Amino acid sequence: MTLSMSFLMFFSILAFVPLCFSHNANGGYYLYPQFYEHSCPGAQEIVKSVVAKAVAKDARMAASLLRLHFHDCFVKGCDASVLLDSSGTIISEKRSNPNRDSLRGFEVIDEIKSAIEKECPHTVSCADIAAIAARDSTVLAGGPSWEVPLGRRDSRGASLSGSNNNIPAPNNTFQTILTKFKLQGLNIVDLVALSGSHTIGNARCTSFRQRLYNQSGNGQPDYSLDQSYATQLRTRCPRSGGDQNLFVLDFVTPTKFDNFYYKNILASKGLLSSDQVLLTKSEASMELVKKYAMNNELFLEQFAKSMVKMGNISPLTGSRGEIRNRCRTINKY
């Protein structure tokens, strides 16, 4: 075999494994599932065990841990910046509009980190723990599994403005949401598939109230919302008050990870405006909603692929960042 043929074969093979490689690879470092195989072989089992215990205690925690990873990756990449508390020059992302009073699961991550530190001190990053916990949460809810590429390091800072600006909001237009995804290297397929995480979990009244009373600023409800469903929602989400009242995102199978989210959208019963616009504002996303509503396996398969892709947004690797001793604070040197 000639040298040029060898190179061609090498690059052909690479074409089939792009998801494991870091977008911002530094000096050739990349993420791969076996990263802790020798340095901390029990890491994934520890994560799995703590997550299972947390979800058994509170089924809602599965969605919360999945959302935690998502809100981390969309700000400065998947670097555990969302886990940092405010201290010194750091203003925590926990204070941002998408996170304040709604992001949960920090204590579960703390418990995992504490257990792993006892087993393998200064080895496993908080960013990797968040990524594994998101996968394990999905599986526990009946969703797909995937190999999580590992090797992320933790940031030494947070971005409150990034959290406010980068994370898609429930009342964003379809185009704004798509732009926010594209800025992270994700496409419309990833957008529709990852939105399917709303097959589990809850939303607060404050995140969809405008759909019930004043969708377009003219005092009228959202015409794209099924009116009997809207009437039902108004009973616990009044014009004022009840901001923190919780509603399941998928009223058919609220704790099961399946494609009823898409079936609900087709029935004009997507809870958030950002859910329903997948059907009403884009031909391409409408087709994907229909495909996933018809084929649960197709949805689960694409969700797993898109989660790997999302988990690969701008990770810190090599000598960048650090392995935090505690996920809430940067290391003191």
Side-chain angles (χ1 to χ4, degrees), residues 46-316:
I46 291 171
V47 178
K48 186 177 178 181
S49 166
V50 176
V51 170
K53 188 175 70 174
V55 172
K57 188 176 170 186
D58 173 11
R60 187 181 160 211
M61 190 54 70
S64 298
L65 290 169
L66 185 52
R67 186 166 179 251
L68 195 61
H69 180 45
F70 179 88
H71 283 218
D72 179 32
C73 291
F74 266 61
V75 184
K76 298 169 75 259
C78 308
D79 61 359
S81 62
V82 74
L83 303 177
L84 288 169
D85 287 338
S86 294
S87 66
T89 59
I90 295 170
I91 302 171
S92 176
E93 292 169 20
K94 296 172 186 178
R95 294 184 181 183
S96 72
N97 292 328
N99 297 339
R100 193 174 56 246
D101 301 327
S102 71
L103 207 61
R104 308 166 72 238
F106 300 108
E107 296 78 9
V108 178
I109 300 293
D110 290 342
E111 188 179 340
I112 295 167
K113 179 63 173 171
S114 176
I116 286 181
E117 283 298 306
K118 285 184 184 129
E119 181 103 358
C120 330
H122 321 304
T123 304
V124 180
S125 70
C126 299
D128 278 345
I129 288 171
I132 300 166
R135 187 270 315 276
D136 291 348
S137 293
T138 303
V139 172
L140 283 165
S145 186
W146 59 90
E147 278 199 308
V148 180
L150 300 166
R152 301 168 190 79
R153 287 165 66 84
D154 300 323
S155 70
R156 290 183 52 78
S159 175
L160 182 65
S161 62
S163 187
N164 276 321
N165 298 327
N166 297 4
I167 296 170
N171 58 350
N172 279 162
T173 65
F174 175 81
Q175 201 50 55
T176 298
I177 297 167
L178 182 58
T179 299
K180 288 180 177 182
F181 269 74
K182 283 183 173 176
L183 286 171
Q184 305 298 341
L186 302 173
N187 59 31
I188 194 166
V189 175
D190 301 313
L191 162 56
V192 179
L194 292 172
S195 294
S197 62
H198 287 178
T199 181
I200 55 174
N202 296 259
R204 296 174 298 155
C205 165
T206 185
S207 64
F208 63 88
R209 176 184 280 120
Q210 88 285 346
R211 296 193 74 199
L212 303 179
Y213 303 102
N214 189 26
Q215 176 68 1
S216 306
N218 60 359
Q220 296 300 309
D222 186 349
Y223 70 90
S224 70
L225 182 64
D226 177 87
Q227 289 312 297
S228 63
Y229 183 44
T231 301
Q232 191 184 330
L233 294 171
R234 285 190 197 101
T235 60
R236 290 186 51 246
C237 187
R239 276 183 190 273
S240 61
D243 284 9
Q244 305 303 318
N245 290 353
L246 290 174
F247 295 75
V248 291
L249 285 156
D250 168 9
F251 65 91
V252 183
T253 54
T255 58
K256 182 164 171 42
F257 202 98
D258 58 23
N259 65 339
F260 263 100
Y261 166 78
Y262 301 102
K263 294 178 181 182
N264 294 339
I265 290 175
L266 290 178
S268 299
K269 294 179 180 178
L271 183 64
L272 307 178
S273 178
S274 56
D275 297 326
Q276 202 60 45
V277 294
L278 299 181
L279 183 71
T280 59
K281 300 297 182 184
S282 159
E283 193 85 31
S285 70
M286 177 180 74
E287 288 307 317
L288 288 164
V289 168
K290 288 178 178 174
K291 276 185 186 175
Y292 298 150
M294 284 175 60
N295 190 333
N296 190 51
E297 288 308 309
L298 182 67
F299 159 53
L300 298 181
E301 184 185 323
Q302 184 57 54
F303 183 82
K305 287 179 184 172
S306 293
M307 281 298 290
V308 173
K309 193 172 169 186
M310 184 189 80
N312 208 40
I313 298 171
S314 306
L316 298 173

